[in-house]
Amino acid sequence: MPRVAVIGASGFAGALCAAIADRHPELELTTVTARSDVGRRLEDVYPRYRVALELEEYDADRVAERADAAFVGYPHKAAAPVVRELLERGLKVVDLSADFRLDRARYERYYQPHEAPELLERAVYGLTELHRDAIREADLVAAPGCYPTAAILALAPLKGLMADAVVDAKSGVSGAGREATQSTHFVSVAENVNPYKVEGHRHRAELEQELRQDGITFTPHLLPIDQGLLASCYVRTRAELGPEELRAVFAEHYENEPFVELAPDPPGVREVRDTNLCRIHATVEPASGRVLVFSAIDNLWKGAAGQAVQDMNLMLGLEETAGLL
Amino acid sequence: MPRVAVIGASGFAGALCAAIADRHPELELTTVTARSDVGRRLEDVYPRYRVALELEEYDADRVAERADAAFVGYPHKAAAPVVRELLERGLKVVDLSADFRLDRARYERYYQPHEAPELLERAVYGLTELHRDAIREADLVAAPGCYPTAAILALAPLKGLMADAVVDAKSGVSGAGREATQSTHFVSVAENVNPYKVEGHRHRAELEQELRQDGITFTPHLLPIDQGLLASCYVRTRAELGPEELRAVFAEHYENEPFVELAPDPPGVREVRDTNLCRIHATVEPASGRVLVFSAIDNLWKGAAGQAVQDMNLMLGLEETAGLL
Amino acid sequence: MPRVAVIGASGFAGALCAAIADRHPELELTTVTARSDVGRRLEDVYPRYRVALELEEYDADRVAERADAAFVGYPHKAAAPVVRELLERGLKVVDLSADFRLDRARYERYYQPHEAPELLERAVYGLTELHRDAIREADLVAAPGCYPTAAILALAPLKGLMADAVVDAKSGVSGAGREATQSTHFVSVAENVNPYKVEGHRHRAELEQELRQDGITFTPHLLPIDQGLLASCYVRTRAELGPEELRAVFAEHYENEPFVELAPDPPGVREVRDTNLCRIHATVEPASGRVLVFSAIDNLWKGAAGQAVQDMNLMLGLEETAGLL
Amino acid sequence: MPRVAVIGASGFAGALCAAIADRHPELELTTVTARSDVGRRLEDVYPRYRVALELEEYDADRVAERADAAFVGYPHKAAAPVVRELLERGLKVVDLSADFRLDRARYERYYQPHEAPELLERAVYGLTELHRDAIREADLVAAPGCYPTAAILALAPLKGLMADAVVDAKSGVSGAGREATQSTHFVSVAENVNPYKVEGHRHRAELEQELRQDGITFTPHLLPIDQGLLASCYVRTRAELGPEELRAVFAEHYENEPFVELAPDPPGVREVRDTNLCRIHATVEPASGRVLVFSAIDNLWKGAAGQAVQDMNLMLGLEETAGLL
């Protein structure tokens, strides 16, 4: 049974990685590290996850002794050096940061100079529905951002057909991470909905790269919920599509996908809470002829930790859905 | 001091009308009627509004004896006959339903055969920022729907300049009214966000009529908040507008408007909670050249009762802002 | 592998029973019935539970053909006749209503004349931590109410030691069931906390019966959350207990209990969300010498469906924790 | 018209003081100061309050030039020196911190050495319902804590009659202040209810001092709401009280109080949201003979800023309710 570690397990995504790995029937979670809360058992920080391991300081050699593969849950820039150290020691790595999601030019335009550019060639963008075969072969996979996950799954079936697209995305607060700030203060969020970074959120880069389409409008909004993300997508297609034709495009595209569900109605995010599902509803608005696609995920599952485990399953030759149903 | 009545004061919008009228320095609230809760004091149904009047059964003659003007808070179709009765008795009327918002053709396409078509000519669409002078002269004003209020105020400055527009609108649950249904059940709404009626919500009719533009996409979403509404608008303009130019268009359009604020950042709905304000932020997305306009209101205030009082102030020759600051 | 059915699977507790049974490694869920939503697949009503079975009308014979045991998720009074029919056909039954939780005198004082009094003698109160052995032998088990579950687990270690006790209990809205009422309307619940039925909630009867102590004060409060229940208990003991002594009493009482956790700090209900755990913290308030016990559960899990599965596991000779970790 | 200043107007309570003062018909708000956000207009920090003044650095002389009275919204310990400076310059002061609420012994037991003990004799505890006459004469008033306000108003009518009392108190997050911490992070609070500081919260000191009763149990809980506070009080009286007798005690005690309402049912905190009201329901639990008192306030209004303005009105010889209805 492959042994895995989670580096950065005190954050929301890392902790959930650890929880899924811990219950996973075909993985053995041996090590959890963190930059804060070292010495506490993970189940004291996240009681409902019930992971009894103690959070340790990160040490590459110790991790390498104890694990065959690792999830890295550090912020971007901090992740790259750790990923390099683990790869050098022969581990397979799923990185949850942005460090290996983009080609170098895009990364450096949206983030900063890259800390480990030599690894970019080996990295695969970890959206299984787009890159399943490459992920199976990879030793470094970059789990996608939460917003791009929902938006790309909504729009991928229309790749090549789109003339223009708007993605109005709404996310729960866990997507902003565990850091306490004015933006994540309960009183700022409750009874509110707030657009933010509307002139250029970094996640746009992933949309453009993966959909190969420039000029997609992407605006994130913060919702007063903890988990859940909805992408409402508005698409002008090059040629008009009827509703039946549209449904056929989506049905064919997502046939046999274990975690994509085509829903008869626009999905609410509750429908996918604490699951690795992406629920999608596509339709044509009669009054405008525009294609509407609504895509709901749990930002911590399919938008982060669940997707990361899905990647890891493929990288280790396990059943893709293992531990995720 | 003009005497006013509220017909249908047990619903969310009617109750707030009564509360604002009750504290209003230049109105005397004499009568509140309802179809449910008759015999209870309004302050027992809505304690924080502190309106001590008792809810009575509606009787046109009694209302006419006691009031010079009335707010009608009935659902569409039920409102029209009541409005007719009150007009016949010489009252000025602000109707909060859809019955007098639309021309007959639009109304009958989106709703049903009209109950009082002969009155449509006298009715003015009660968005003060668009029809201030006509409202001053009117004896029948139709307070706009909550979604159209936010969306029309966002897009009105661009009238004539738009090539294509998408309105992604998000509303709190009070917009769905006081009726208990599966959709308004706490467990359906909490930790959720849900698009609904995406193939043609009736409020679209108001957008098309007032903006004189067909093919606007309009999709409502239900938020886990009680009060508040955000319209996120995505516009392709006929000719490209720079950000400064755009700001100038909005600044000029809304100069001197007492209830429209141009915000330096995208507004959250908390910023306007329990106020009659509409806060708007307009910008150009650099990556796409698209115009983004975000418009936040409290759906019960500027989207219903506050707007209705603003209308009434004008109809009665009072200061437009009286009772609303 | 034992085959099970869920009768009344369209309500919150019944649906979760079905979901847990469906994923349970040692149960086969064959049948789900309901009084509403017949003909729909359960996963269309509760997408995140992903139970593909179709909701059928209840028919005792058909259920008996297909199942060895059943969960009954009907309201009290409606449950008793169904329970009788299934027992007559040889099924083991866990009933989630109040019908078989109380002795006849208590039941008829708090509810109404009993529909199946002849079965009361066979029924076991399904709080495993109190009646584990009897549950193993029973063919009819009454899963406890959500409030009593938290309160009894908090107070059971102090049985015989209490002079006086107050239980201030706070529950999420799912405890009130799926029916849409003014009380469960989002706008009634959001930004609110509301004591209700403070002069005698029916769940008090279970406290008195199981703790064998009269005069316990019990007041429920409704919280603006969907799942979760906290019982804050204030106890005057007959003889004073020091904090260490108190901790020892609880530690001994709950040693080896798989679903009771003694927490170092007062638990929040988030800590047990979507788990079958009861987390308890007991301490002595220095200023008053009073014993404080805080007990947190997920009202749908340990307070209903999870507990019911725990009961069923015992009745069927399975591992008590099967399907619940 | 008296001129007032708010020192510390960037916090929740200070900002609301400024908002109430700004709309107050008989006060002129001239100055707002803060330790953060200096240079921003208050309405940019709290848009819905619409206070156009700019936040300045605190300077005692400048404040004294511009104001006859001041609200001090600093944390305890930081408040005392500022209060001294303003008193020395002849201003009347309402302090919202704990610095002048307690006698010296209690203060130093619960907090730290006092920064301005010489002023304690002049300070009046600002619960108007208990100390109205003294407040009228005072130049230094300490606005009570939010928890004590609700609890003392609930229990004051029973002063001298109580044998034993438990206060289970529940507060919205704004009571914890504007600082961003793990405890106020949205994800910590949402879908949660959490007891905290159960072994001795500092607010207990105010209860003991004002009710002159030791051994009251007081346990605070954090609720997932922004504003609102409920105190559920459980009292054993020395002699048994019948329900009618109890109601008479409360009715007599609170006759003519403008901000205390006796409610026919246990109040929810929504009922007093954004008001200066305290709504109280007292009853006798039949099964135990215990007296139950439920008391609801808005922690930012009657629990802080509203009460402070009520105090100021009295100190300045204005109508007690001015600006608060």
Side-chain angles (χ1 to χ4, degrees), chain C residues 4-11 13-15 17-18 29 31-35 55-60 63-64 67 69-75 78-79 82-83 86 91 93-96:
Chain C
V4 298
V6 177
I7 313 306
S10 65
C17 266
L29 177 69
T31 306
V32 290
T33 81
R35 303 191 297 184
L55 288 163
E56 303 176 38
E57 289 213 43
Y58 166 71
D59 177 285
V63 171
F71 300 94
V72 177
Y74 278 5
V82 169
V83 168
L86 297 173
L91 280 78
V93 176
V94 177
D95 178 39
L96 286 94

Side-chain angles (χ1 to χ4, degrees), chain D residues 178-199:
Chain D
R178 198 179 157 210
E179 200 191 343
T181 66
Q182 278 303 315
S183 310
T184 60
H185 192 299
F186 184 85
V187 175
S188 304
V189 177
E191 290 293 324
N192 204 357
V193 58
N194 212 138
Y196 67 101
K197 293 192 189 155
V198 299
E199 292 179 7

Side-chain angles (χ1 to χ4, degrees), chain C residues 139-161:
Chain C
D139 57 3
L140 171 56
V141 170
C146 50
Y147 284 121
T149 296
I152 296 169
L153 290 174
L155 297 178
L158 301 172
K159 201 151 73 172
L161 305 176

Side-chain angles (χ1 to χ4, degrees), chain D residues 83-93 100 102 116-125 134-135 137-142 315:
Chain D
V83 168
R84 183 196 284 123
E85 290 182 342
L86 297 173
L87 287 173
E88 284 169 359
R89 283 161 181 76
L91 281 78
K92 300 196 174 195
V93 176
F100 299 98
L102 300 169
E118 77 284 4
L119 299 176
L120 281 171
E121 212 164 284
R122 297 160 70 176
V124 177
Y125 190 77
I135 293 166
E137 305 304 317
D139 57 2
L140 171 54
V141 169
M315 294 164 80

Side-chain angles (χ1 to χ4, degrees), chain A residues 170 223 230 268, chain B residues 147 169-176 181-185 188-190 192-196 219-226, chain C residues 186:
Chain A
K170 300 116 179 134
L223 292 176
L230 179 75
Chain B
Y147 284 122
K170 301 115 178 136
S171 172
V173 183
S174 60
T181 65
Q182 279 305 316
S183 310
T184 60
H185 193 299
S188 304
V189 176
N192 204 358
V193 58
N194 212 138
Y196 68 100
T219 53
H221 296 70
L222 192 65
L223 293 176
I225 65 175
D226 60 0
Chain C
F186 184 85

